[in-house]
Amino acid sequence: TFRVCNRLVDDMITVSTDQICNAIKLCYNDARVVLEPAGALGVAGMKKYVEDNGITGATMVAVTSGANMDFDRLRFVSERADESERSL
């Protein structure tokens, strides 16, 4: 796996827990889909990449998933997303 990634991966992006929570909220508000945190990593990373590189007018795709979300985790995500919006 490392050899394949070493040959094919150009760059990596890291995101915070708050950015993942915001991605979950963004997907819910946009498409009424509840993603699990691991499933929202692609959206969070893509959003950060777009912001960091000043990309506009481009069509981009992120692979998502989400069946592993319970109410306790959903409450945590909601609180983190709301707190990070207040700090902006």
Side-chain angles (χ1 to χ4, degrees), residues 21-35 74:
C21 292
N22 283 328
I24 294 169
K25 185 175 181 180
L26 174 74
C27 290
Y28 178 77
N29 288 339
D30 186 53
R32 295 293 187 238
V33 199
V34 179
L35 301 176
L74 190 56

Side-chain angles (χ1 to χ4, degrees), residues 53-85:
N53 293 288
I55 297 171
T56 58
T59 300
M60 303 183 89
V61 176
V63 177
T64 62
S65 63
N68 192 16
M69 179 70 82
D70 58 27
F71 282 110
D72 290 332
R73 185 175 297 159
L74 190 56
R75 183 180 310 111
F76 173 81
V77 166
S78 176
E79 290 169 358
R80 292 295 290 256
D82 289 341
E83 285 176 17
S84 65
E85 285 179 357

